[in-house]
Each structure stands twice: as C-alpha cells, then as structure tokens.
Amino acid sequence: MTGATTPTVSDAASGRSGIQARLGDVIFRRLALGAGVTILVALAAVAIFLVAQSLPALLADPADLRGEPESFWHYVAPLAFGTVWAAAIALVIAIPIAIGIALFISHYAPRRLAQPLGYIIDLLAAVPSVVYGLWGITVLAPAAVPFYQWLTENVGWFPLFAPPASGTGRTVLTVAIVLAVMVLPIITALCREVFVQTPVLHEEAAYALGATRWEMIRMTVFPYARSGIVSASMLGLGRALGETMAVAMVLSPSAIISLAILTPENPSTIAANIALNFPESAGLQVNALIATGLILFVITLVVNSIARAVVNRHERSLESR
C-alpha cells in the first residue's frame, strides 16, 4: 500500500517525551494551585482566629479592659496611630536613601565595588531585630539626645519638634531611624533589581538624544521602575508595621496621640504593646491584645491593597502608551 507509513524509533521517543512533558505540566500546575490555595486557607484561618478571639473584648464592658473608662477603641486608637506614625516616618527616611544606594550600585559604581556593596546591603536583612534594638537603645538614643535638644530649642515652633526633648533619646524619631535601617536592605535590594532590568535600548536612546546620566535615569529608569519602587516601599512598610522587639526595646511608650517626635511621652505600637503586655495578661486582657492584633491585620491588608491598586494603575498606564 502506497499511503502507509511505519512508525520509527524516533517517533516513539518523541511521543514519550511529549507525554512526559504534559505530565510535568500537569504536576507543576497542580503544585502551583495547591500552593496558592494553601496561602488563601492560611490567611483565612488567621482572620477567623483573630475575629473569634477578638469578639469577647469588642463586646465586653470597657471597665474590664485594664480599667479603660470609655471603650476598646479609645484603648486601641493610640496604638494604631503610633504604629502607622512610626512606620511612616521610617519610610520617609528609608526610601530616598534606599533609592540612592540602589542607583549607585546599578548605574554609578564600578562592577568590582557594586557587587560587594550589594552583598553587604543584603546582609543587613539577616541581622536579628534584637540586635537593632540593642543598637538603638545603647548607641543611637544617647548619641541623639544633644541633637534632639538642639532641635527643640531652635525649631521647637514646628509641631513635630515641639519641646520638651527627651533626656534619654527613647523617642518616636529614634524608633523610626531604627526601623528605617531595618527596612533599608529590603527596599534597596528590590529597587536595585528593578533598576537593572530597565531596557538597555531605552537608556541608549536617551544617551543618543544627548541626555546626561541623571537625565537618562529620570526619563527612562524611574518611569520603568515606578511600580517596583512602590512595591518595595510597601513591603518595607509591612516590615515596619509589624516590627516588635526593636520598638519594644527602644520606645518609651504612653497611651497618647501626639505628632511630636522628640518628647519623652510617645504613642506605642500595636506589636510592641502585645509583646510587652502579653506575658502578664489573662482572660479578657488576652482577648483585647488579640483584638489589637486584628486591627494591625486590617491595617496591613489596607496598605497592601492600596499598593496593589497603585501598581496596577501604573501598569495599565504603561500598556496604554
């Protein structure tokens, strides 16, 4: 018969390799799906636990919550404010420094210097938070006292630097500096990777138009890396919001809401308050601490949702161009 063909060994081998490839795709797809579902289940389990354990404190008599005269929300409001306030100041300090370091490593430093410097920055992420806390309370806080006094004497009319200055240096600003150092390697590493991925053709086109190196970075690198910078900043913010030991060791907390960052009385953070009070709490007090943890959980989700919305908006604007 003229139309018949006989299967060869190569055809059989290619068929087996095709089956193996499809089997590998199926296994990988199911593993990826399982990992994604596991994340969602864990997140839902944490949320259910926090809500269930928080309800007794939310519905209890305010007088039972460490003698609070009004309500649970008056108890948690200074903690929530202090959490967001300290983390926001830390980001204001850390983001410009991190972007500058990332730009130096990716576009300015020679290769023999850029690689070791990148390793050193990455190693900062491996330092335990307790070490940062010890550095903050034994080195940074005492050294900052003269500077804080100078600020209150000369710029005390500005609300952030309102007197009196702390005599120990254990202030919101000190905590913010410690948090900024802690989140610096995270933001720097991510920004550096995004800067390096800027298309070379875009950079060469800017140079061809007569741009200087800074103009090239401003016109090509920053627009391309904007979503990455936002993502890195929000990741650092999440680390700063949830930091416990360093804040608990450095800060001198009080149940107040104040914008002053140099005074002896400072608003505490949710994570530090839980760490300091949980060992001696019992009954309804434990539920109150878990309820503050629920507030921190919600704050983190809101911050991440805002960051994701900003990133998606930027990506859509790039696609429309």
Side-chain angles (χ1 to χ4, degrees), residues 59 94 109:
L59 302 177

Side-chain angles (χ1 to χ4, degrees), residues 167-179:
T168 61
R170 301 175 61 182
T171 65
V172 172
L173 182 56
T174 304
V175 169
I177 295 174
V178 173
L179 292 177

